[in-house]
Amino acid sequence: ARAIQQAANNRSGRLALKSLVKVIAISEFISNALLLTPDLCAELLSQDDVLKRRALPNLKTLVRDCLRTSNNIPELMIALRLIRRREMTRIGWRDLAGFASLDEVMTNLSFLADETIRVALIMAHNVVSKEYGHPIGAQTKRELTLVVLGLGKLGGNELNFSSDVDLIFAYAESGVPNGSKSISNQEYF
């Protein structure tokens, strides 16, 4: 209530509050997100996030912070869901209120998905490598990484709110990880 009262005291805050009624009426997702996360509306209003375009490096930092603050996969999943809810609400609000261009919306949604996949991949690699070591190529004897390719709308930075994400997973060569347990690189990845 305090953030809403503060927002009502300035021109930009009033503009954001005025748009909120329209946004809630149009979007069941945003209505539910604001109900499920009571502090979210106040946070978005107090930081002027609804009116400002988010710089992609800042969005990247926001998602990557989940990795630093999570000790395991379940914690990371919770953190990523919260970031997703917050950012999807922010992006959707900006879109429905007419504060963002279509290009901005698609770019932000694509970047959010891409960074979320990247962070999840890093955590998965960290967890699996503790048990199995690092995957080593049979021919090159070099450490391998998994490459995740975003296809379709994600690959073209054209995700919208109803887009699914199509991915291809690839790695360079067969071999075995350098840990004490014997599995193939295919099983590792």
Side-chain angles (χ1 to χ4, degrees):
R2 186 172 185 223
I4 292 174
Q5 193 172 29
Q6 286 177 336
N9 290 333
N10 65 64
R11 186 174 179 271
S12 63
R14 285 191 298 274
L15 180 62
L17 281 173
K18 184 178 178 183
S19 70
L20 178 59
V21 175
K22 174 184 176 183
V23 169
I24 288 174
I26 294 172
S27 173
E28 185 177 350
F29 172 83
I30 293 175
S31 315
N32 288 336
L34 295 175
L35 285 172
L36 290 170
T37 318
D39 296 337
L40 181 55
C41 186
E43 181 184 335
L44 291 171
L45 288 171
S46 68
Q47 296 178 12
D48 243 0
D49 276 357
V50 174
L51 297 175
K52 292 187 288 189
R53 183 180 184 136
R54 172 148 356 264
L56 294 181
N58 294 345
L59 182 54
K60 181 178 186 175
T61 300
L62 196 63
V63 176
R64 293 260 171 126
D65 282 346
C66 293
L67 193 57
R68 284 199 299 274
T69 60
S70 302
N71 296 315
N72 54 50
I73 290 175
E75 284 181 13
L76 180 66
M77 290 171 61
I78 290 168
L80 289 176
R81 282 189 193 104
L82 291 173
I83 290 294
R84 179 186 177 276
R85 181 184 303 149
R86 182 195 192 287
E87 288 304 302
M88 295 284 284
T89 300
R90 182 190 66 78
I91 295 164
W93 188 339
R94 285 183 53 73
D95 181 30
L96 295 172
F99 301 147
S101 68
L102 179 61
D103 182 59
E104 177 189 331
V105 170
M106 291 187 307
T107 300
N108 275 245
L109 290 172
S110 299
F111 197 81
L112 177 62
D114 189 55
E115 284 305 309
T116 301
I117 292 164
R118 186 181 325 279
V119 165
L121 181 62
I122 291 168
M123 175 62 86
H125 177 75
N126 291 344
V127 168
V128 175
S129 67
K130 284 179 185 172
E131 186 170 353
Y132 297 103
H134 298 279
I136 305 298
Q139 287 79 32
T140 63
K141 306 297 185 211
R142 291 186 183 163
E143 189 174 318
L144 304 176
T145 58
L146 184 66
V147 176
V148 180
L149 303 171
L151 304 177
K153 291 181 180 180
L154 176 59
N157 285 330
E158 296 175 342
L159 277 186
N160 61 53
F161 286 96
S162 61
S163 296
D164 60 349
V165 176
D166 300 314
L167 304 173
I168 291 181
F169 300 90
Y171 57 96
E173 60 185 296
S174 62
V176 295
N178 60 6
S180 59
K181 294 185 178 179
S182 181
I183 62 170
S184 69
N185 284 347
Q186 181 176 353
E187 289 170 299
Y188 178 95
F189 290 124

